[in-house]
Amino acid sequence: MAIVAFDPSTLPDVSQLSVGILGGTGDQGRGLAYRFARAGQRVRIGSRSAARGEAAARELSALPGVAEDTVSGGDNGYAAAADLVVIAVPWEGHGELVASLAGALAGKVVVDCVNPLGFDKHGPYPLEVPEGSAAEQAAALLPESRVCAAFHHVSATLLADPDVDRVELDVLVLSEDREAAAQVQALAGRVPDMRGIYAGRLRNAGQVEALTANLIAINRRYKTHAGIRVTDL
C-alpha cells in the first residue's frame, strides 16, 4: 500500500477567513482566539454578554503579536456571523446555545471543541452523550452546517501564554465533510508547529473528546501541558 505523506501545501488557503469563537471569553475559547489572531486571522469573540465579548477583544488586542483591528467582540450571535465558527462553550450549555444559533450557522463550517467531562475526587471522566459526542450533538442540531470536531487536546494555558511562540502538537480533525475538515486542518496549521490531521468521521469523535480526561490526568501527575503528536506522518 502506498504511503501518503502529510503535505500541508495541499490544504486550502484560509488566511482571509474570519473566525468566530462561541464562548470566546472562557479559557479554551480565549486561548484559541489569541493564537488565531496572532497568526493573522481576523477573530470575532462571542459571549453570552456582548459587553464581556467586547472587553475580551480589547484585552486580546493589547497582547504581543496581535495586529490592530484583528480582534473584535460581541455576543455569541456576533461571533456566529464569522466565516468559520468554533464552539468553545461549557458542555452544560452546549445544546441550548447551538440550537439557538442554527439559522445563523447554516452553510458554515462549524468546529466543535467541547469535551463533555465530569470531575469527582478521582479526577476527570467522560460523560455519556446520547448522540455519541458533543460534535455529533452539534451535527444533529445543525443539519445545514458543515460540522467538524477539532482542538480538543490543546492546552488553554499554552495557547494563552504570550511567551509561548510555538505550540508543538497535532490537532485531530473529524468530519463527514472532507473539504470542511481540510479548512480546519489549514486553520490549525496557521499556528507555528501545530498540524491539523484528518482523523476520521464524526462517529469517532466521542473517543477523541474522552481522551482529554487522560491528558488532564497526565498534566496533573507530571505538572505539564501534554498534547498529541501523530508519529510516522
Side-chain angles (χ1 to χ4, degrees):
M1 183 175 65
I3 296 176
V4 180
F6 177 77
D7 183 0
S9 69
T10 64
L11 297 174
D13 180 6
V14 298
S15 61
Q16 299 306 307
L17 295 182
S18 60
V19 179
I21 312 288
L22 306 181
T25 55
D27 291 344
Q28 192 75 358
R30 187 186 182 92
L32 287 171
Y34 175 51
R35 285 298 148 180
F36 295 150
R38 187 163 163 164
Q41 217 77 34
R42 288 176 293 120
V43 176
R44 287 174 168 239
I45 294 179
S47 175
R48 285 179 296 178
S49 159
R52 286 187 63 198
E54 292 165 357
R58 288 193 295 270
E59 292 169 4
L60 287 181
S61 295
L63 292 178
V66 178
E68 186 177 1
D69 297 327
T70 300
V71 185
S72 59
D75 62 12
N76 283 315
Y78 176 79
D83 298 320
L84 182 152
V85 179
V86 178
I87 303 171
V89 299
W91 168 241
E92 291 73 20
H94 180 269
E96 181 180 357
L97 176 66
V98 171
S100 73
L101 293 172
L105 297 174
K108 297 179 185 287
V109 174
V110 177
V111 186
D112 200 305
C113 71
V114 175
N115 298 306
L117 299 178
F119 294 84
D120 60 19
K121 64 180 181 180
H122 300 296
Y125 61 94
L127 299 174
E128 289 190 16
V129 179
E131 295 85 354
S133 65
E136 287 170 292
Q137 183 183 87
L141 295 171
L142 303 173
E144 298 182 35
S145 299
R146 307 166 69 189
V147 177
C148 301
F151 299 109
H152 299 92
H153 306 142
V154 187
S155 165
T157 301
L158 292 182
L159 290 174
D161 188 343
D163 293 329
V164 175
D165 295 323
R166 318 182 77 81
V167 183
E168 301 180 9
L169 56 80
D170 291 333
V171 171
L172 303 182
V173 182
L174 302 95
S175 183
E176 311 303 313
D177 186 327
R178 292 297 294 272
E179 291 184 359
Q183 288 189 40
V184 180
Q185 290 177 256
L187 179 63
R190 298 272 291 155
V191 180
D193 276 354
M194 188 181 288
R195 298 190 306 177
I197 305 295
Y198 178 73
R201 296 179 178 271
L202 281 185
R203 68 183 182 184
N204 295 320
Q207 64 203 34
V208 171
E209 295 170 4
L211 183 60
T212 306
N214 301 93
L215 290 177
I216 293 173
I218 291 170
N219 290 338
R220 288 181 173 179
R221 174 66 179 83
Y222 296 101
K223 312 300 183 190
T224 188
H225 302 291
I228 298 293
R229 267 297 195 205
V230 179
T231 61
D232 201 27
L233 186 66

